[in-house]
Amino acid sequence: NQLNDTATYVPGNSENGTIELYFFAVSACGDTITDTLQLTINPLPSVQIALSGPDTLCNGDTLILQGSGATSYVWSTGATSSGITITQPGTYFVIGSNTCGVDTAAVTILSSPSPNLSISPSGPHTICSGVSITLLVSGGDNYLWNTGSTSDSITVPAGTYTVVGSNYCGSQSVSTVINSLPLPQVIVSPTSASICSGDSALLTATGALNYSWSNNDTVSAIYVNMPGVYFVIGSNLCGSDTASVVITADSIVTAQITPAGPTVLCSGDSITLNASGGTSYLWSTASNSQNITVTQPGTYYVVVSAACGTDTAFATITGATGPNLQLSPSGPIDLCAGDSVTLLATGASSYSWSNSINTSSNIISAPGTYWVVATNQCGTDTASITINGLHDPVVSITGQDTICQGQSVV
């Protein structure tokens, strides 16, 4: 007889592969009937996505997404292979299927840029001497400064600073320069100056960024044409300083030679001519000294130069000799009682007689020897003369005091 009966078998979740089912039946006659069935159980798809690396893409990187848990796959990119290679971040999903059904899996891929560091404030930057500045870096995950700090900010004085920033995708190094701006130290050149009438002087200030002069100019260099004291205030971001300069007026050049006027030069002597009134000198002798010594008569000149021009002075040197004394009487040098004679001395400029007369002429009324000392700028000379005295005659008659008529007597 044939048994007509049915049984339902539901595999468990953990059952898969080939299993053997056993059937037991008891007939109406009490007989036991057995049979076996080889049953193959296929699992439902359980799709998973495996990554060939981290779920974060760096610029230029690739990543493989590998599906598993099914027999066929359809990706959100349209690919139907079990694995795909991607270069862009985003969410990717795959539908996996087999004869028993379908399953879905998804994965989100992130992106991370390479470090793009920037330091604030951006450099080069300038700070005042003795002051510090805070530098802040961004664009990375981790930082290492050349100061050894690993913070994203450092407070430092002037100098050159470098930081290496890194993240998952690499590292980058940037530097910045912090310059030191000192307090202004204003210098005016020239430190002093003299100007001639109608001229001007250029005054230049350095050592600051901005300038303000006492004549209201606001440039670094000015021209001035008047004597006086000029000052300038120089400033920069860190402070100010002041400097001044004195401008004097130069006089017109007036050449002078001393001794001035005609000068007598004795034979064999020398004389020193001194020039003044300038800063440089050129004599007619070709000397460029301020003084010259001359031994010959003549006319000498000097060209005197200074900042305000030139001038010329002259000196005339006259040659002279010692006295050439001549002594002359105005009449006979034999004097009668009551008579006089005038003695005249020539050949010199001054005279001194032995009888204390100091003129060139000397009236003599007594016999004797008279001398005179004659002097000029070149020396002295002496001469003398003797004046003789004459007496009245004494008459006496001798001989016979009696004679005869017709006789003579001696």
Side-chain angles (χ1 to χ4, degrees):
N1 295 327
Q2 182 177 5
L3 294 177
N4 293 316
D5 200 357
T6 61
T8 300
Y9 174 75
V10 179
N13 290 334
S14 61
E15 290 182 298
N16 57 66
T18 300
I19 64 173
E20 190 174 60
L21 297 178
Y22 294 92
F23 294 91
F24 296 91
V26 178
S27 67
C29 296
D31 295 327
T32 301
I33 302 171
T34 63
D35 197 3
T36 60
L37 175 66
Q38 297 290 324
L39 179 65
T40 299
I41 302 173
N42 290 323
L44 292 171
S46 177
V47 178
Q48 294 182 339
I49 299 176
L51 309 181
S52 62
D55 63 354
T56 300
L57 279 177
C58 299
N59 185 33
D61 285 353
T62 61
L63 184 66
I64 298 175
L65 306 183
Q66 182 65 51
S68 63
T71 57
S72 63
Y73 304 89
V74 177
W75 290 89
S76 54
T77 63
T80 58
S81 60
S82 62
I84 61 172
T85 299
I86 62 171
T87 60
Q88 298 297 322
T91 298
Y92 295 85
F93 65 87
V94 61
I95 300 173
S97 61
N98 62 15
T99 57
C100 296
V102 296
D103 192 20
T104 301
V107 64
T108 299
I109 304 302
L110 305 176
S111 67
S112 178
S114 298
N116 185 19
L117 301 186
S118 63
I119 297 177
S120 177
S122 59
H125 196 75
T126 300
I127 60 176
C128 298
S129 179
V131 176
S132 296
I133 188 172
T134 297
L135 302 179
L136 178 65
V137 64
S138 60
D141 294 334
N142 304 292
Y143 305 99
L144 177 61
W145 294 86
N146 59 344
T147 63
S149 173
T150 58
S151 172
D152 62 351
S153 67
I154 56 173
T155 300
V156 290
T160 299
Y161 297 93
T162 301
V163 60
V164 177
S166 61
N167 62 12
Y168 171 78
C169 290
S171 64
Q172 183 188 22
S173 174
V174 293
S175 297
T176 188
V177 176
I178 306 300
N179 297 310
S180 176
L181 179 65
L183 289 171
Q185 293 183 335
V186 178
I187 297 174
V188 177
S189 60
T191 56
S192 63
S194 296
I195 56 176
C196 305
S197 177
D199 287 348
S200 61
L202 175 63
L203 306 180
T204 302
T206 57
L209 181 62
N210 305 299
Y211 302 93
S212 178
W213 291 86
S214 51
N215 65 349
N216 296 323
D217 279 335
T218 56
V219 292
S220 60
I222 63 172
Y223 284 94
V224 297
N225 55 17
M226 296 294 291
V229 178
Y230 294 84
F231 64 87
V232 60
I233 300 174
S235 62
N236 62 17
L237 297 175
C238 298
S240 63
D241 190 26
T242 302
S244 63
V245 59
V246 177
I247 304 299
T248 57
D250 257 339
S251 58
I252 297 175
V253 178
T254 301
Q256 290 183 329
I257 296 177
T258 55
T263 302
V264 175
L265 181 64
C266 299
S267 178
D269 286 350
S270 64
I271 189 171
T272 297
L273 301 180
N274 179 61
S276 61
T279 56
S280 64
Y281 304 89
L282 180 61
W283 291 87
S284 52
T285 63
S287 171
N288 56 11
S289 173
Q290 189 171 357
N291 306 316
I292 62 171
T293 299
V294 298
T295 59
Q296 298 296 323
T299 298
Y300 297 86
Y301 67 87
V302 62
V303 178
V304 178
S305 301
C308 293
T310 61
D311 192 26
T312 304
F314 296 84
T316 299
I317 306 300
T318 302
T321 59
N324 183 19
L325 181 59
Q326 301 292 325
L327 189 58
S328 302
S330 61
I333 59 174
D334 296 323
L335 294 181
C336 296
D339 288 345
S340 65
V341 65
T342 299
L343 301 181
L344 180 63
T346 59
S349 56
S350 64
Y351 305 90
S352 178
W353 294 86
S354 54
N355 61 346
S356 301
I357 299 300
N358 294 316
T359 60
S360 60
S361 62
N362 193 355
I363 300 175
I364 304 299
S365 59
T369 298
Y370 296 87
W371 73 89
V372 62
V373 177
T375 304
N376 68 9
Q377 63 266 43
C378 292
T380 61
D381 195 9
T382 303
S384 65
I385 189 171
T386 299
I387 303 300
N388 300 310
L390 297 179
H391 301 285
D392 290 335
V394 178
V395 180
S396 62
I397 300 175
T398 60
Q400 297 177 343
D401 58 357
T402 302
I403 62 171
C404 295
Q405 186 176 12
Q407 291 182 334
S408 63
V409 64
V410 177

